[in-house]
């Protein structure tokens, strides 16, 4: 088979190009007649489509493969950042395969009746934090072309319907835990019960509900109706702090301040995105530092012995803020991926990253720490950078030291890889990139002590990995592009409903003034032109009135109208 030049062949729907070269190191097919032949169905040659092509030759043929081609994904082009912190660019074939693997968790653990996803494996239980991670996965899978719009819309609308109709703790706001299969309120053992509310979990879900309606305006009306049912009066207090609650043994509800440095400010941003005043919760004070490997690591200054709430310094709250919001302030509408308007958050995030790199450099222990699930008791640990007075302290929820449960967290590793383009994050990526089961998703992590991987897959882990891959392509995921009017801002304006549920009212603006002597003139609620029976007096904050009286009128008074009866009774006969 004489060839003058290499020919370009396009095989099938996979869109992979092959070059046929006159080489003789590999035989394609031996026909028995000293002639080699190969038949390929569905082929394009130099732009022409053919049902099949048969290649024959009296000498061996060889095919030389180039790099696999990932299908070009054009979704999200309107919301792409031109530049952002960390890694930037389209996914490689390996990274795209990782996105598919992470999404497989949300296929295998999906509950079709509710549209919810199990938080951990096959156990049908979930929290609002894990549900937010599912929304994260759903948004990323669509943008990265892992799923199409039909599947995205079907899943999104089913989920919104369930969230809109969830039973609420004490009629206020979502319970901490729900049965993923039924949507019923449950405890952590998945038994029926109301156990309390988590402000942190609600704040994270509010971040992703905002992202959902910014990127998909056709869903905004339904999304707005989810928090419209909730009563926020006990979640946010007057000085801008967040409160969660729990049910006491006597059945009464106790409200407690919730959140510590790292998580508290992140969750508060979720509330702020919807107009709540949470300035106190977004502030880093009270604040303290501990020096570890030459890095001043920030931690919450509230004494856990007094406030009965431990401060775990972890990676997760900082990388979520970076991946989802670019360490920006909630009211930042610039979509600038290279400026963190919430500057101290970016500063602290870099310290959290650097101290983990320093630990590896000084000890050889690959480090990417976060909270994570573990198999068997205690089932969950806070794998901290600093906690309870000690660095690299791994604690279970009871405060028990669990050093054998320390691990390289897959979500923390991939999140840091996306936000910091360094040799160390390349190592983190290689540590966890293949730590997965193709049809079940990524495992939680790899134990530091050599005991292998954590044999559990979770919604939170796989959702954050998908968000990190989307960040690489598009930058901060919250892009302020929906300029439409929002139901959340306009519903029930002018009624007591918003006040009774402590919803913010963006349709009313308080104008500051100093003694109000030179205050900007604001149009009165009832304009001067509307006065008919009183003479308006302009002055002060409202329109006064004088000479009030009604005018004479000559409208005729209403008259009684006579009508015939609908039936005529028979006259009585005379005796």
């Amino acid at each position: 088979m004489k060839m003058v030049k290499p020919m370009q062949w396009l095989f099938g729907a996979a869109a992979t190009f092959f070059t046929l070269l006159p080489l003789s190191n590999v035989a394609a097919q031996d026909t028995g007649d000293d002639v080699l032949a190969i038949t390929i169905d569905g082929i394009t040659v130099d732009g022409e489509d053919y049902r099949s092509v048969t290649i024959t030759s009296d000498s061996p043929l060889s095919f030389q493969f180039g790099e696999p081609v990932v299908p070009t994904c054009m979704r999200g082009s309107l919301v792409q950042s031109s530049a952002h912190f960390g890694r930037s660019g389209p996914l490689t074939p390996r990274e795209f395969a990782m996105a598919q693997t992470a999404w497989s968790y949300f296929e295998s653990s999906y509950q079709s009746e509710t549209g919810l996803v199990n938080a951990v494996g096959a156990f049908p239980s979930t929290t609002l934090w894990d549900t937010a991670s599912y929304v994260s996965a759903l948004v990323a899978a669509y943008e990265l072309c892992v799923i199409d719009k039909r599947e995205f819309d079907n899943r999104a609308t089913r989920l919104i319907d369930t969230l809109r109709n969830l039973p609420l703790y004490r009629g206020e706001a979502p319970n901490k835990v729900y049965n993923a299969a039924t949507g019923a309120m449950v405890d952590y053992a998945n038994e029926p019960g109301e156990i309390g509310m988590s402000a942190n979990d609600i704040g994270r879900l509010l971040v992703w509900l905002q992202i959902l309606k910014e990127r998909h305006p056709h869903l905004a009306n339904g999304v707005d109706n989810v928090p419209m049912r909730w009563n926020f009066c006990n979640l946010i207090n007057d000085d801008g702090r967040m409160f969660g609650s729990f049910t006491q043994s006597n059945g009464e509800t106790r409200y407690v301040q919730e959140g510590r440095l790292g998580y508290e400010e992140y969750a508060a941003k979720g509330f702020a995105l919807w107009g709540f005043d949470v300035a106190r919760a977004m502030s880093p004070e009270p604040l303290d530092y501990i020096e570890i490997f030459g890095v001043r690591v920030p931690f919450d200054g509230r004494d856990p012995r007094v406030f009965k709430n431990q401060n775990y310094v972890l990676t997760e709250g900082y990388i979520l803020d970076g991946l989802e919001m670019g360490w920006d302030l909630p009211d930042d509408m610039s979509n600038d991926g290279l400026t963190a308007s919430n500057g101290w958050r970016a500063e602290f995030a870099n310290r959290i990253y650097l101290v983990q790199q320093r630990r590896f450099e000084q000890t050889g222990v690959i480090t990417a720490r976060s909270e994570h699930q573990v198999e068997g008791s205690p089932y969950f640990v806070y794998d901290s950078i600093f906690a309870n007075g000690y660095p690299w302290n791994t604690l279970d929820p009871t405060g028990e030291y669990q050093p054998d449960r320390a691990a390289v967290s897959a979500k923390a590793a991939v999140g840091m890889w996306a936000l910091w383009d360094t040799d160390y994050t390349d190592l983190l990526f290689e540590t966890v990139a293949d730590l997965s089961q193709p049809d079940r998703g990524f495992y939680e992590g790899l134990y530091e002590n050599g005991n292998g991987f954590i044999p559990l897959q979770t919604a939170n882990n796989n959702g954050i990995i998908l968000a990190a891959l989307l960040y690489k392509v598009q930058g901060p995921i919250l892009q302020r592009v929906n300029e439409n009017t929002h139901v959340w801002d306009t519903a029930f304006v002018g009624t007591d409903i918003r006040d009774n549920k402590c919803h913010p009212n963006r349709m009313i603006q308080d104008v500051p003034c100093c003694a109000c002597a030179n205050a900007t003139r604001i149009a009165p609620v009832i304009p001067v032109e509307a006065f008919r029976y009183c003479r308006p007096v302009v002055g002060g904050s409202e329109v006064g009135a004088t000479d009030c009286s009604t005018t004479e009128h000559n409208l005729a008074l209403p008259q009684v109208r006579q009508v015939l009866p609908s039936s005529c009774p028979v006259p009585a006969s005379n005796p």
Side-chain angles (χ1 to χ4, degrees), residues 169-170 194-195 246-254:
Y169 176 81
R170 302 296 197 252
E194 295 181 87
I195 61 173
F246 64 90
T247 304
Q248 301 181 104
S249 58
N250 61 4
E252 295 183 357
T253 300
R254 182 179 177 186

Side-chain angles (χ1 to χ4, degrees), residues 97-120:
M98 289 175 63
Q100 292 176 308
T101 297
W103 176 250
S104 70
Y105 175 85
F106 300 95
E107 293 179 323
S108 64
S109 300
Y110 181 65
Q111 299 287 350
S112 59
E113 289 298 315
T114 61
L116 297 169
V117 169
N118 302 340
V120 183

Side-chain angles (χ1 to χ4, degrees), residues 194-318:
E194 295 181 87
I195 61 173
M197 302 180 296
S198 170
N200 282 339
D201 289 12
I202 291 172
R204 172 155 166 72
L205 181 62
L206 288 174
V207 171
W208 276 100
L209 290 179
Q210 184 73 29
I211 290 172
L212 192 59
K213 70 174 188 171
E214 287 284 350
R215 285 178 170 264
H216 300 279
H218 67 289
L219 299 175
N221 182 46
V223 170
D224 281 348
N225 275 280
V226 172
M228 194 71 67
R229 293 177 61 226
W230 304 347
N231 188 317
F232 291 84
C233 295
N234 291 318
L235 288 168
I236 307 295
N237 75 347
D238 292 339
D239 67 358
R241 292 182 297 162
M242 302 186 306
F243 281 74
S245 69
F246 64 90
T247 304
Q248 301 181 104
S249 58
N250 61 4
E252 295 183 357
T253 300
R254 182 179 177 186
Y255 297 93
V256 291
Q257 185 275 327
E258 188 173 324
R260 289 295 181 265
L261 184 68
Y263 281 106
E264 182 179 8
E265 298 78 19
Y266 164 73
K269 285 186 179 183
F271 288 95
L273 287 170
W274 292 77
F276 291 95
D277 182 2
V278 285
R280 178 86 174 270
M282 286 182 58
S283 174
E285 294 91 3
L287 178 65
D288 209 339
Y289 299 90
I290 179 72
E291 186 165 313
I292 307 174
F293 294 125
V295 179
R296 294 191 75 210
V297 177
F299 70 91
D300 197 289
R302 284 167 281 198
D303 190 334
R305 296 171 299 179
V306 176
F307 294 95
K308 310 300 181 185
N309 198 330
Q310 187 58 260
N311 171 33
Y312 307 99
V313 180
L314 304 166
T315 308
E316 190 161 330
Y318 292 102

